[in-house]
Amino acid sequence: AQKVTQAQTEISVVEKEDVTLDCVYETRDTTYYLFWYKQPPSGELVFLIRRNSFDEQNEISGRYSWNFQKSTSSFNFTITASQVVDSAVYFCALSEAVNYGGSQGNLIFGKGTKLSVKP
Amino acid sequence: KAGVTQTPRYLIKTRGQQVTLSCSPISGHRSVSWYQQTPGQGLQFLFEYFSETQRNKGNFPGRFSGRQFSNSRSEMNVSTLELGDSALYLCASSTQGTGELFFGEGSRLTVL
């Protein structure tokens, strides 16, 4: 069965600190996708990144970076120099491979990590 | 480009009633998925529709149903409401093949 574990329920940091959000997943599929979403207080989940199981290259986007390691089934997310606007709940998610005609809307979400960045 | 629109945003019902929630996807998106979010269970997949056909269904009782119209707009219905159905119901749309979901702000249902 597929499963996503975000062991950190809540994290509190002071602005400008770096913070890493952990994500560990379980799947028997050899082809799958991993995602990170951000949920601000408004409730709308915002897509941050998608990574397929064949691409283990780390990715950096501004202050955000992601470390994907298949050997440890982890897909961690780091925010560098955190800002108050980064305060939100962050979800890691897993889905089976997206094929034409196949399911793509069935994401398995972790329970989320609530990040609070204080000024 | 307009985002995913969900209506109503908030609603209060009593046990035994039924409720219908609506979702208008981003223009051009043909896939619509629904999720239930509760503090205890987190985000759970309800169902997914593509071109008016239910493509996948989560592990929810038959009281939860949905449909998609020819214009890709979708509705979900919950009949015989229970207290445990109180949740934020999120709709997401996507284009075929990307796997990237665009979420609406949700419909917050309170069952008294």
Side-chain angles (χ1 to χ4, degrees):
Chain A
Q2 297 182 324
K3 183 179 178 182
V4 175
T5 302
Q6 294 180 255
Q8 304 150 309
T9 305
E10 292 192 43
I11 299 177
S12 182
V13 300
V14 176
E15 211 171 17
K16 298 185 182 177
E17 281 186 30
D18 297 347
V19 57
T20 295
L21 310 182
D22 298 331
C23 173
V24 174
Y25 63 92
E26 295 175 30
T27 180
R28 293 180 182 173
D29 295 335
T30 56
T31 305
Y32 51 89
Y33 284 85
L34 295 165
F35 303 81
W36 276 94
Y37 281 85
K38 173 183 179 180
Q39 186 176 40
S42 62
E44 175 183 358
L45 274 81
V46 178
F47 169 84
L48 295 177
I49 189 171
R50 181 189 70 156
R51 172 69 72 213
N52 74 55
S53 53
F54 296 110
D55 183 2
E56 288 192 72
Q57 272 195 329
N58 290 334
E59 179 155 341
I60 298 175
S61 176
R63 296 184 297 106
Y64 296 170
S65 63
W66 290 269
N67 180 264
F68 175 30
Q69 292 193 339
K70 285 180 74 171
S71 60
T72 56
S73 298
S74 65
F75 186 43
N76 297 336
F77 172 33
T78 297
I79 302 175
T80 303
S82 59
Q83 300 176 1
V84 173
V85 294
D86 295 327
S87 297
V89 181
Y90 291 85
F91 291 93
C92 180
L94 166 72
S95 80
E96 61 187 9
V98 176
N99 300 309
Y100 184 80
S103 175
Q104 64 176 18
N106 180 6
L107 265 60
I108 307 299
F109 282 90
K111 290 294 179 73
T113 297
K114 182 177 181 181
L115 174 64
S116 298
V117 182
K118 302 187 187 309
Chain B
K1 200 175 193 182
V4 176
T5 303
Q6 292 188 245
T7 57
R9 290 290 315 281
Y10 303 91
L11 64 167
I12 300 174
K13 294 286 187 178
T14 57
R15 281 181 299 175
Q17 288 187 311
Q18 73 165 10
V19 65
T20 298
L21 309 178
S22 179
C23 172
S24 293
I26 292 173
S27 178
H29 287 190
R30 295 165 63 191
S31 174
V32 173
S33 302
W34 288 89
Y35 288 81
Q36 181 196 64
Q37 185 176 24
T38 60
Q41 298 300 317
L43 280 156
Q44 293 184 286
F45 172 75
L46 280 159
F47 24 65
E48 179 194 8
Y49 288 87
F50 182 79
S51 293
E52 302 179 65
T53 300
Q54 187 179 89
R55 194 156 64 175
N56 205 350
K57 189 177 191 302
N59 188 25
F60 278 82
R63 300 185 296 106
F64 292 81
S65 63
R67 59 177 175 169
Q68 186 181 32
F69 302 96
S70 58
N71 62 358
S72 293
R73 189 177 71 84
S74 178
E75 289 181 348
M76 66 163 283
N77 183 278
V78 187
S79 62
T80 319
L81 285 166
E82 301 177 359
L83 295 179
D85 297 332
S86 295
L88 179 66
Y89 290 88
L90 291 162
C91 169
S93 73
S94 62
T95 55
Q96 180 65 31
T98 67
E100 175 185 341
L101 303 183
F102 293 83
F103 283 84
E105 291 183 309
S107 293
R108 186 167 294 281
L109 170 65
T110 301
V111 182
L112 302 177

